[in-house]
Amino acid sequence: MGGAFLAAAVLARLGGRIGLPTIPLFILAGILLGPHTPGVVLVSDPHDMEMLSALGLVLLLFYLGLEFHLDDLKAGGRRMALSGGTYLALNVGAGLGFGFALGWGTSEALVLAGVLGISSSAIVTKVLVDTGRLGNPETKPILGIIVVEDIFLALYLAALQPILSGADSLSSAVLDAGKAFGFLLLLALVARFGTRVVGRLFSTRDDELLVISFLGAAVFVAGVSEWFGVADAIGAFMVGLMLGSTASGVRIRKLVHPLRDAFGAIFFFAFGLSIDPGDLPTVLWPVLAAVALTLAMNVLAGVGAARVYGFGPEATANISTTLLARGEFALILATMAAGAGLDDRLSPFIAGYVLLLAVLGPLTAVRSHWLARVLPGRRESESEVPELVGQG
């Protein structure tokens, strides 16, 4: 664990000197020191880091929930649903079509629809933090799309599991989906109507007690969420949503920072451990085609979301590039596909696709102004000129 932290830190410091974001460097550290590359093997079994990796994902999404206020959800729920639905329709639809075009099978196409359709909540959160865009106007629709994606993710996993496992009847699939949806509804009701009670339960002047309390709540609810068929990340997000609106919300955001950063680095390091670079050449062309398709769909979805909110090219480019990365959900689907005995090419394809976008996503997000130059619409800087002239 110490070696993982130090390796991630050294690479991130070196990359920071030439302007590279930290996420791909943390992943690179995992690849270089994992069991699939020659040289020093720091971790021979990626499962050894599984619990720490899960904790990193939980803390990243917990922090995201803290930043997403209930007032934003109530005020912009319709626009959030519209932009999130548009994003899913374009990307999941494109993924399904791409899966059928490859000709690997119907179950494989359903898996690829989820792989190509859902952004990485962890990478999106980290990109927003690293680029200092949490306070930007376009961040609200970005977080809204992530929320819609995570809700879709919970229901999609519940529906896909019986298909891949060969469930005997439709009733079992409906039962799993109903259980997941019911738990999500319960969490949403507590977040909407139970904030005052939750605030009293977590009210304390002692920082130590507050850290233990919110950390325990986030991890516990994440674990219970998995039992109900809901991704652990969405459970942690809902806890953050509840606590962010309490009187302790500001203190919690400050106290969770070092935990989020440390274990978030471990999450991306463990992500790199699971990737075998030797498998990638066999699926190189399908991976490149899928990446190009995702880039195109993300730009279209970004334009659609920007139209809903009335944003210009700069905000459109930020939305398109920030949501580009794919990650933890795709790896979950790869594990499910391997367990179901699907096409052997699926796992290396998902690994290569996720790796390429996990690196490309943060890099393009930092340089989103390049995309903004070619997008139609009025620049934000230009829209300010008439007002300044009038004042003069």
Side-chain angles (χ1 to χ4, degrees):
M1 181 178 171
F5 276 122
L6 289 174
V10 168
L11 273 180
R13 288 173 71 91
L14 291 174
R17 295 187 175 184
I18 56 176
L20 291 177
T22 57
I23 293 171
L25 295 170
F26 292 154
I27 296 172
L28 178 61
I31 294 174
L32 294 177
L33 298 174
H36 305 299
T37 50
V40 177
V41 177
L42 188 64
V43 183
S44 57
D45 185 359
H47 293 292
D48 291 343
M49 305 289 286
E50 193 170 9
M51 183 58 71
L52 294 173
S53 172
L55 184 57
L57 179 60
V58 163
L59 288 171
L60 282 166
L61 270 292
F62 173 71
Y63 182 80
L64 184 63
L66 290 171
E67 291 291 338
F68 194 89
H69 299 292
L70 278 173
D71 291 340
D72 297 333
L73 187 60
K74 288 183 285 187
R78 182 176 298 178
R79 290 191 296 179
M80 182 186 78
L82 180 58
S83 56
T86 301
Y87 188 91
L88 285 173
L90 287 170
N91 285 275
V92 174
L96 186 63
F98 182 79
F100 281 122
L102 285 178
W104 291 355
T106 301
S107 295
E108 287 80 358
L110 291 171
V111 170
L112 288 174
V115 170
L116 271 66
I118 305 294
S119 306
S120 168
S121 301
I123 296 179
V124 169
T125 305
K126 191 71 167 62
V127 166
L128 289 172
V129 172
D130 288 352
T131 55
R133 293 176 184 166
L134 281 172
N136 286 16
E138 71 272 10
T139 297
K140 288 182 180 179
I142 290 173
L143 298 184
I145 290 171
I146 288 295
V147 171
V148 173
E149 283 187 323
D150 282 341
I151 293 172
F152 172 81
L153 152 68
L155 300 177
Y156 192 75
L157 280 178
L160 191 61
Q161 181 64 51
I163 295 174
L164 296 184
S165 61
D168 296 330
S169 64
L170 182 63
S171 60
S172 61
V174 173
L175 180 63
D176 289 341
K179 186 170 69 171
F181 183 76
F183 185 70
L184 277 174
L185 183 60
L186 175 63
L187 291 178
L189 289 173
V190 174
R192 174 66 178 86
F193 300 106
T195 305
R196 183 173 299 178
V197 175
V198 171
R200 289 176 181 173
L201 291 174
F202 283 84
S203 179
T204 176
R205 295 182 179 180
D206 191 316
D207 284 348
E208 180 184 12
L209 291 178
L210 185 58
V211 169
I212 296 299
S213 298
F214 73 68
L215 186 60
V219 176
F220 180 76
V221 174
V224 174
S225 297
E226 279 203 332
W227 189 79
F228 277 97
V230 177
D232 52 3
I234 190 64
F237 173 85
M238 295 301 292
V239 175
L241 191 64
M242 297 172 199
L243 294 180
S245 301
T246 66
S248 304
V250 175
R251 286 173 60 210
I252 292 174
R253 276 192 289 273
K254 180 180 179 181
L255 292 169
V256 79
H257 273 189
L259 293 169
R260 178 206 68 194
D261 292 340
F263 288 98
I266 291 296
F267 169 80
F268 296 114
F269 179 88
F271 180 43
L273 291 175
S274 66
I275 294 174
D276 184 355
D279 290 338
L280 303 184
T282 61
V283 289
L284 178 61
W285 292 112
V287 165
L288 292 177
V291 168
L293 179 63
T294 303
L295 282 166
M297 291 300 103
N298 261 55
V299 172
L300 287 176
V303 170
R307 290 280 178 88
V308 171
Y309 285 85
F311 292 144
E314 286 83 357
T316 303
N318 287 346
I319 294 172
S320 300
T321 55
T322 302
L323 291 166
L324 182 60
R326 302 295 187 261
E328 60 279 359
F329 177 49
L331 297 182
I332 292 170
L333 284 173
T335 303
M336 291 172 62
L342 300 186
D343 196 299
D344 292 337
R345 293 169 290 184
L346 204 54
S347 291
F349 169 86
I350 293 174
Y353 171 76
V354 169
L355 175 62
L356 196 52
L357 282 182
V359 174
L360 191 61
L363 289 173
T364 55
V366 172
R367 295 162 179 81
S368 61
H369 56 279
W370 291 355
L371 175 61
R373 293 173 185 170
V374 299
L375 290 174
R378 195 176 194 183
R379 302 301 188 266
E380 275 81 345
S381 56
E382 293 175 3
S383 64
E384 294 172 2
V385 172
E387 183 180 348
L388 294 173
V389 172
Q391 290 174 354

